[in-house]
Amino acid sequence: MEYRVSPRINDFAVKLANVNGTGSASANGLIMQAIFRMGIPVSGKNLFPSNIQGLPTWYEIRVNGDGHVSRALDYDLMVAMNAQTYDRDLKEVRSGGYVLYDSSWPLDDHLLREDIHLIGVPLARMCIESFAEPRERTLMKNIAYAGAMVALLEIDMAIVEALIKESFSRKPALLASNTRALRLGYDYAKEHFACPLPFRLSPMNANADKILIDGNTAIALGCLYAGVTVAAWYPITPATSVMDGFKNLCEKYRKDPETGENNYIILQAEDELAAIGMVIGAMWNGARAFTSTAGPGISLMNELLGLAYYAEIPVVVVDVQRVGPSTGMPTRTQQSDLLECAYASHGDTKHILLLPGNPAECFDFAVKSFDLADRFQTPVFIVSDLDIGMNDWVVPKLDWDDSYRPDRGRVLTHDEIEALPQFHRFLGENGTQIAPRTLPGVHPKGAYFTRGSGHNKFGLYTEIPDEYQEVMDRLLLKHRAAASAVPPALIEERRNAEFGVITVGGCDAAVREAVENLAANGIFADFMRIRAFPFGREVEQFIADHEFCFVVEQNRDSQLKSMLILETAAPKEKLQSVLVYGGFPLSARTVVDEITRQLTRVPQPVSIRKGK
Amino acid sequence: MPSIAKPAVLHPSAQRNELGLTLRDYEGSMSTLCAGCGHDSVTAAIVRALWELSVEPHKLAKMSGIGCSSKTPAYFVTGAHGFNSAHGRMPPIATGANAANRELLYIGVSGDGDSLSIGLGHLCHAIRRNVRMVYIIENNGVYGLTKGQFSASADVGTKSKKGEANRMAPIDPIQLGLSLGATFLARGFSGDKEQLVPILKAAVAHRGFAIIDVVSPCVTFNDHTGSTKSYLYTRQHRIRATETDYVPPATEILTEISPRGETAVTLHDGSVVRFSAVPADYNPSDRLAVAKFLQENAADGRIVTGLLYVDEATPNIHEMNNTPAKALTSVPWSKLCPGAEMLNALQEEFR
Ligand SMILES: Cc1ncc(C[n+]2csc(CCOP(=O)(O)OP(=O)(O)O)c2C)c(N)n1
Ligand code: SF4
Ligand SMILES: [Mg+2]
C-alpha cells in the first residue's frame, strides 16, 4: 500500500526536533523568516526546555494560506535532529508524512514505520568533510538541514541567502560558511530526492503590512513609546526578554543626543519585592515606570501591590505567564495567573488587567496600561504569556499617532494646588471616584502623608469603621468605572450560532480556527475574546445572549470562568470549561475535539433547559 | 518630641532660618509613641538639623517602613511629603523615588526589625546602589510595635523583659555597611542630640547612601536591667569615638583645631565635615582600619558612636547610571517618545 499525504500548497506543518544549545534556533528562525518574507501566513512555536544545553527542544512551523497559524498537531514533515527523541518524534508524523534525519548513522530498525517516508541526509558527514572546527561542524549541520528544507519545500533560495547576508554582513567568514552549508543541504536534497514534496510553498502577498515580532519585544516598545523612564526587574523566564528588549531600545533611542546622558534608568533589583517597590516609588514621584515578571514574581509582589492599590499609586506590572505553582515549568506556557493578578494581595483588592492576544496588542496595551494606571491611580497588569511573549508572531505593522500624549490622570499642577484652600488626598472629584493627587516637590500645600495604614478621605490615619469603608467603597467604584475605559472584548458572531465560545489571550488563534472548523461541521458558535478586567458590559451581555458558553483557557482551575461567575450576573450553569494546561500553545484540534466531546456527551445544561 | 499639646501661639522670639522658618515649621503632628521613647528624641534631632540646614519642607521626602520608628516621619516636617510604606520595603521604594526625581532630599527612618530582619536584603542593595539618601535606623534591639520580641541587633546575652537571653550574634549595620562598600556610616545615641545633629547635617550633604544607626531605647520593652540597649547601659558603655562639626559650603573655618588629631572631609556640595577629635591614627576614609577599630571596641563591650566612615568618591546611583543632573521626571516628552516615523523605520528589523 502507498501512503501519501494530499498535495497541498501553503498548508502544512513542520516540526523540528533538536538538542538545546546546538545552534538550531537560528536555522529554524531562518526558515520561518524566509517563509514570512515569501508573503505567506506562518507561525513558529518554540517548545524548549528549562535548560541551557543538552536537553531536547522542538520548533514547530505552521504554514497556512488562510491565515490559521495556531499550533498544528499533524506534522507533515519531521526534521529529526535529536537521536534521543527519535522514538517519540517519529511517532508524531502523520501517516504519509516525511522524516528528514541525519543519515550519517543508520536509523534503528524499530523506529521504522511503513507509512512514513524517510529523507536521509548525511549532515554530519558532509559537515565534517567541509568544515574544520568542531563547533563549526555542529553549527553548520543546522544550516545544512535548512538548505535541504529549502529544496524540499520550495523556499525561495534568494530570500534565504539574503537573510544570511543580513545576519553576517560584518562577519565574512561566517557568511561564507553559512552559505556553503546551506548549499550542501540544498544540493544533496535536489540530487537525491524528488523536490519539492507534495506539500510545498508558493509565494503570496499576505505580509506586505505585517511584521514578525514577539510579544515581549512589543511590550518593551510600548513602554518606550509610553514614556517610561524607570524600570525595575528581577530576571525570570519568560519575562526576561521584556527588559532585555527595553534596555536595547533605550540604548538606541533614549541616549540624549546633546549630552550623551541616559534619559532612563533600569534597575536590576535584588528580588521582585524590591522591583515592585521601586516602581511604586518612581510612580509616586510622577515617573512612568514598570516591572516585568512571571507568576513567581507576582507571588512575591503581593504585599506591595496591596499598598499601591490602597495608597492609590499607579503601577504597571507586566506578567508573562508560565506554567504552574512553585517553579513549575518555566519555559512552558499557561494562563494560570489570572486570579492571582486580578485580586493580588491580602484584603479587599481588585486590579485592572489587560489581556493581549498577540504581540500587536502587547504594544497597544503596554501604552494603554500607563494611561489607565495614571488615570485610575492603581496597579495595572499586562497579563501576557510565554507563547505570545517569546514566539515570533506575524502581526500588522505597529502604528503610532504622533498626537498621542500621556494621560497622566488628575495630577494637580503647581497653580491648581496654589488655588486650593487645602489639599486632601483621597477626596473623589465630582463623582468620578478619582481623587486628584499631587507630586512631591511641586508645591508646599500639596504635601501629604502616603500610607498603607487605614486612612480616611482626607488622608489622615483612621480606625473608624465608617471612615475606613468610605474610602474602600470609592476604590471599588473606581475599579468598576475602569470597565468602560479598558479594551472591550472582541466578539465575532455567526449566523445560527447555538452557543458561545469565550476565550482569552494567546488562545485567540486556536479558538477562532476551532470555531471555523466547527462551523464547517455544521456546529455554529459565536466567539468572544476577553481583553481586560474589569469586564465591560458586553461580556455579561454576550453570556446573557447565549444559552450556554464554553470558556476555553489554559489553566486547571477555570480561572477565567471563575472570574466571570464572580464578576458578572452569569449563572454558573451556563459556563462550561475547556481546559488545556500541559504547557504547550493551544491547537485548534484540541478545542474542536473537546467541544465536540462535551456537546455529544453532556446533554445541554439541565438547569438552563429547565429554566427556559 | 514630647507628647504634650503645643501652644497655638508662637513665641515671638522664635528664631528663623535662612528661609524665614522657625523650628516649629519643621515639626510634625503630635507623637503617639510611648513617653520617653528614644525615637522621639531622634525626631527632635532631625527637626533641628533640617531647620538649621534650611531645607525647603516640600522638597523633602520622608520615607519609612513599618514599626514604631517608621511612624516617626509623621512627627517631623508636616510640610514634606511622607511615605510610610510596608515593613522592610522602604529601601526599594526610596530607590525608585530617587531614581525618578533626584532633586528631592530623601530621609528614610527605619527600625532594627525593619532594616536588619525583614528588609535586610533591601538595605544591603540600597547600600550597593549608593542611593543618595539619609537612612536612619532607630535601633532598640527589639520589635517595639509587635511588643518586644528580640530583633536581629540584640546582643548576645542581652535579656528580654521576661528574662530570656538572646544567644544569636547581632547584626551590626555599621560593620555590615563597611563590608558592602557603604559610603557614609555613623552611629548615634538618641540621648545625645548634640552629637547627632551635625552627623545628620553631614548625612544630608553626602553624595550617596548615608547610614546613621541610632541607639534609641525602647522604654516599654527594652529598658530594663539586663538589656544592652537600655538608656543606662548605653550611657555606661558608649564612647564618643569621633567628634565632628558640619561646616556648610563656603563658610570660613574659624574654630580652633583640637589637639586630639583632626582631619576633614570635603563633601560633594563643598561643605566640610571636620573631625575635631578622633582617636590616634583614626582615618575615617580607611575602611579596613575603621572595621578593626569597631571590632576591637565591640569585643571590649564598648558602643562606638560618632561619624565613623566617609567615602565621598564612590559614584551614586545616578552617576553609575549616567542619568541627567535634573530629575528624570522633568525630561520633556519630545525626548522620551521616538515618534511615528522612527517606529516605522525600526520595524524594518522585524521584516
Ligand atoms: C509583612 C509584615 N510582617 C509583620 C509585620 C508586623 N510588624 C510590624 S512592626 C514590626 C517590627 C518593628 O520592629 P522595628 O523595625 O525594630 O521597629 P520598632 O517598633 O522597634 O521601632 C513587625 C514585625 C508587618 N507589619 N508586616
Ligand atoms: S513600644 Fe518601644 S519603640 Fe514603640 S513607642 Fe513604645 S517605647 Fe518606643
Ligand atoms: Mg526596633
Side-chain angles (χ1 to χ4, degrees):
Chain A
M1 179 176 169
E2 273 274 10
Y3 292 93
R4 292 245 158 267
V5 290
S6 54
R8 272 165 287 138
I9 291 176
N10 295 343
D11 181 18
F12 60 85
V14 180
K15 184 163 180 167
L16 300 105
N18 301 103
V19 178
N20 204 28
T22 55
S24 56
S26 45
N28 301 345
L30 177 71
I31 299 284
M32 153 88 167
Q33 203 178 352
I35 299 173
F36 167 76
R37 285 210 188 165
M38 288 173 74
I40 307 166
V42 61
S43 68
K45 304 277 183 208
N46 198 0
L47 313 178
F48 62 111
S50 181
N51 160 265
I52 303 297
Q53 203 174 56
L55 288 186
T57 183
W58 292 271
Y59 190 73
E60 299 184 351
I61 296 174
R62 177 164 179 209
V63 176
N64 183 284
D66 296 333
H68 292 310
V69 289
S70 67
R71 187 172 167 240
L73 299 176
D74 306 298
Y75 308 105
D76 299 284
L77 171 64
M78 177 70 65
V79 180
M81 292 296 135
N82 185 357
Q84 295 170 64
T85 59
Y86 272 169
D87 236 337
R88 58 204 263 202
D89 295 336
L90 265 62
K91 279 188 196 127
E92 285 193 352
V93 184
R94 67 154 49 155
S95 192
Y98 293 75
V99 173
L100 170 63
Y101 74 105
D102 188 345
S103 60
S104 309
W105 301 276
L107 270 191
D108 217 73
D109 279 350
H110 85 273
L111 293 167
L112 301 179
R113 267 170 60 182
E114 62 165 5
D115 65 336
I116 57 175
H117 309 275
L118 294 180
I119 303 174
V121 181
L123 296 163
R125 208 180 65 222
M126 294 193 308
C127 288
I128 287 171
E129 283 161 9
S130 307
F131 302 102
E133 295 295 322
R135 179 75 187 151
E136 200 176 27
R137 288 171 172 170
T138 315
L139 290 176
M140 290 309 139
K141 269 197 319 196
N142 300 308
I143 304 297
Y145 75 65
M149 289 173 74
V150 170
L152 293 166
L153 300 172
E154 263 187 2
I155 301 173
D156 187 331
M157 187 56 145
I159 290 178
V160 179
E161 284 182 333
L163 281 168
I164 291 182
K165 267 202 198 104
E166 287 166 26
S167 307
F168 302 110
S169 57
R170 275 189 231 112
K171 294 172 186 154
L174 280 176
L175 175 63
S177 45
N178 275 272
T179 312
R180 195 145 126 237
L182 189 74
R183 282 284 164 189
L184 277 180
Y186 180 85
D187 292 344
Y188 190 94
K190 277 274 183 197
E191 198 177 312
H192 294 84
F193 307 102
C195 294
L197 298 177
F199 45 90
R200 65 179 174 88
L201 297 167
S202 169
M204 288 174 59
N205 193 20
N207 296 338
D209 293 319
K210 303 266 170 69
I211 53 166
L212 196 57
I213 189 172
D214 64 79
N216 286 356
T217 303
I219 287 178
L221 257 177
C223 292
L224 177 78
Y225 271 73
V228 167
T229 50
V230 179
W233 70 303
Y234 189 77
I236 187 168
T237 304
T240 295
S241 55
V242 173
M243 209 52 86
D244 286 347
F246 185 66
K247 183 159 189 241
N248 285 338
L249 290 167
C250 284
E251 280 165 1
K252 277 191 200 147
Y253 304 107
R254 280 291 184 74
K255 212 167 243 319
D256 199 301
E258 287 145 42
T259 62
E261 288 161 343
N262 295 338
N263 288 323
Y264 68 95
I265 188 166
I266 298 174
L267 300 162
Q268 186 183 315
E270 53 273 27
D271 53 34
E272 287 86 348
L273 294 87
I276 188 72
M278 288 167 180
V279 172
I280 290 173
M283 290 195 78
W284 177 73
N285 248 343
R288 283 197 153 178
F290 80 104
T291 183
S292 51
T293 188
I298 304 284
S299 292
L300 289 183
M301 292 177 186
N302 264 258
E303 187 194 18
L304 286 184
L305 285 165
L307 170 67
Y309 174 82
Y310 186 46
E312 301 190 60
I313 299 165
V315 158
V316 171
V317 178
V318 176
D319 175 26
V320 188
Q321 297 170 99
R322 60 190 227 180
V323 171
S326 187
T327 301
M329 297 194 283
T331 60
R332 297 292 154 82
T333 198
Q334 227 181 34
Q335 298 171 319
S336 50
D337 298 348
L338 301 178
L339 284 171
E340 188 192 28
C341 292
Y343 306 107
S345 208
H346 54 279
D348 290 321
T349 53
K350 274 189 192 196
H351 307 294
I352 298 174
L353 312 186
L354 300 183
L355 304 159
N358 56 60
E361 283 185 350
C362 284
F363 176 75
D364 293 341
F365 289 10
V367 177
K368 182 120 196 134
S369 67
F370 291 95
D371 289 340
L372 290 167
D374 272 334
R375 170 126 56 106
F376 292 99
Q377 303 177 5
T378 197
V380 174
F381 293 76
I382 303 168
V383 186
S384 175
D385 64 40
L386 181 142
D387 180 22
I388 301 172
M390 292 187 72
N391 287 318
D392 281 335
W393 293 49
V394 178
V395 295
K397 210 167 171 187
L398 308 178
D399 240 353
W400 187 254
D401 176 358
D402 276 329
S403 69
Y404 170 87
R405 288 294 175 279
D407 174 357
R408 301 310 313 265
R410 282 296 284 142
V411 178
L412 298 180
T413 62
H414 177 278
D415 294 350
E416 282 175 314
I417 304 170
E418 177 73 40
L420 287 176
Q422 203 184 347
F423 169 68
H424 295 299
R425 172 64 182 92
F426 298 110
L427 277 181
E429 197 173 45
N430 356 310
T432 62
Q433 319 304 345
I434 289 163
R437 67 176 183 135
T438 57
L439 299 178
V442 171
H443 192 291
K445 269 203 284 180
Y448 70 99
F449 202 67
T450 306
R451 58 174 112 234
S453 48
H455 49 258
N456 63 18
K457 63 183 172 193
F458 304 111
L460 302 174
Y461 183 84
T462 192
E463 295 177 4
I464 298 167
D466 289 349
E467 290 191 354
Y468 173 78
Q469 286 196 14
E470 188 181 14
V471 172
M472 289 306 286
D473 290 347
R474 181 176 57 75
L475 292 186
L476 182 61
L477 292 175
K478 187 175 79 165
H479 183 259
R480 286 199 190 130
S484 55
V486 298
L490 279 187
I491 294 174
E492 275 177 22
E493 291 177 337
R494 199 173 281 273
R495 275 181 46 179
N496 305 326
E498 294 159 81
F499 57 92
V501 179
I502 302 171
T503 194
V504 65
C507 293
D508 180 69
V511 177
R512 262 171 214 273
E513 185 182 349
V515 169
E516 274 196 31
N517 292 352
L518 285 167
N521 296 336
I523 302 171
F524 300 101
D526 290 333
F527 169 90
M528 171 167 74
R529 173 162 62 88
I530 289 170
R531 299 197 298 169
F533 176 71
F535 303 130
R537 294 188 61 105
E538 74 285 0
V539 171
E540 194 167 275
Q541 194 60 49
F542 182 91
I543 300 172
D545 287 348
H546 292 88
E547 205 175 327
F548 63 97
C549 293
F550 288 97
V551 184
V552 185
E553 54 184 312
Q554 291 176 294
N555 56 68
R556 186 193 70 178
D557 292 343
S558 310
Q559 297 193 18
L560 178 63
K561 189 177 97 172
S562 304
M563 287 172 67
L564 289 168
I565 292 167
L566 274 174
E567 304 283 351
T568 72
K572 193 173 172 181
E573 303 75 23
K574 263 188 141 181
L575 302 176
Q576 281 176 239
S577 281
V578 174
L579 305 170
V580 183
Y581 49 93
F584 286 152
L586 192 64
S587 76
R589 197 178 84 192
T590 311
V591 179
V592 169
D593 288 355
E594 186 56 24
I595 288 182
T596 317
R597 192 181 68 82
Q598 292 196 27
L599 283 175
T600 47
R601 200 191 55 171
V602 193
Q604 268 341 295
V606 187
S607 56
I608 294 165
R609 287 273 152 91
K610 263 200 306 212
K612 288 234 160 172
Chain B
M1 225 176 313
S3 328
I4 45 161
K6 294 154 198 151
V9 186
L10 274 181
H11 194 275
S13 70
Q15 265 185 295
R16 295 184 181 273
N17 67 9
E18 280 170 28
L19 298 175
L21 300 176
T22 65
L23 205 57
R24 180 69 51 90
D25 294 317
Y26 288 81
E27 291 178 352
S29 54
M30 204 164 54
S31 170
T32 58
L33 302 183
C34 307
C37 174
H39 302 348
D40 279 334
S41 309
V42 182
T43 299
I46 296 172
V47 167
R48 180 99 214 164
L50 294 175
W51 176 72
E52 285 182 10
L53 287 172
S54 295
V55 169
E56 269 189 281
H58 75 289
K59 298 287 182 188
L60 168 67
K62 307 171 293 182
M63 316 298 288
S64 66
I66 295 291
C68 296
S69 35
S70 293
K71 287 182 176 185
T72 63
Y75 314 144
F76 62 88
V77 199
T78 306
H81 273 257
F83 198 150
N84 179 202
S85 66
H87 196 21
R89 312 297 166 208
M90 179 261 280
I93 292 175
T95 302
N98 180 297
N101 185 356
R102 64 187 291 181
E103 294 176 52
L104 302 178
L105 167 64
Y106 296 88
I107 295 193
V109 183
S110 178
D112 41 330
D114 204 58
S115 281
L116 303 180
S117 287
I118 194 164
L120 181 64
H122 297 317
L123 171 62
C124 294
H125 290 275
I127 291 172
R128 294 181 57 234
R129 290 188 189 98
N130 207 20
V131 180
R132 181 170 184 182
M133 71 180 294
V134 180
Y135 192 96
I136 300 163
I137 303 171
E138 297 181 347
N139 193 340
N140 53 17
V142 288
Y143 294 177
L145 195 59
T146 51
K147 300 190 179 267
Q149 301 82 0
F150 281 132
S151 81
S153 72
D155 294 304
V156 174
T158 191
K159 292 222 172 70
S160 75
K161 235 179 157 179
K162 288 182 189 147
E164 187 193 345
N166 170 56
R167 299 181 176 282
M168 290 184 286
I171 297 175
D172 171 3
I174 307 291
Q175 294 280 7
L176 181 80
L178 282 170
S179 74
L180 291 171
T183 54
F184 185 108
L185 292 160
R187 178 143 41 223
F189 171 41
S190 65
D192 187 350
K193 190 160 137 195
E194 183 211 357
Q195 180 191 39
L196 194 50
V197 170
I199 291 176
L200 279 162
K201 287 158 82 177
V204 167
H206 176 57
R207 118 196 252 181
F209 195 73
I211 299 180
I212 310 175
D213 176 38
V214 187
V215 181
S216 173
C218 169
V219 288
T220 305
F221 298 110
N222 207 13
D223 198 30
H224 47 271
T225 314
S227 158
T228 60
K229 291 272 194 297
S230 66
Y231 278 111
L232 186 64
Y233 188 94
T234 309
R235 288 214 172 89
Q236 285 171 343
H237 292 81
R238 180 174 87 103
I239 55 165
R240 282 176 61 145
T242 68
E243 300 288 337
T244 48
D245 303 328
Y246 169 79
V247 188
T251 312
E252 227 181 315
I253 299 172
L254 296 171
T255 20
E256 282 290 309
I257 281 169
S258 136
R260 273 176 63 201
E262 75 297 325
T263 171
V265 178
T266 304
L267 302 178
H268 206 52
D269 62 357
S271 58
V272 175
V273 175
R274 236 172 114 255
F275 286 78
S276 50
V278 293
D281 299 332
Y282 192 90
N283 178 357
S285 312
D286 184 341
R287 198 175 286 277
L288 277 179
V290 172
K292 185 161 173 273
F293 177 79
L294 286 172
Q295 274 165 30
E296 284 168 359
N297 276 284
D300 292 345
R302 277 191 292 271
I303 303 162
V304 170
T305 60
L307 175 48
L308 301 169
Y309 179 79
V310 189
D311 159 10
E312 200 62 12
T314 298
N316 67 26
I317 181 170
H318 282 283
E319 292 156 348
M320 288 188 227
N321 284 282
N322 189 32
T323 53
K326 291 260 170 208
L328 280 174
T329 47
S330 66
V331 178
W333 178 245
S334 60
K335 290 193 173 190
L336 295 180
C337 181
E341 209 174 302
M342 188 62 88
L343 184 65
N344 197 37
L346 70 81
Q347 288 182 86
E348 274 315 299
E349 229 184 275
F350 308 127
R351 289 283 309 166

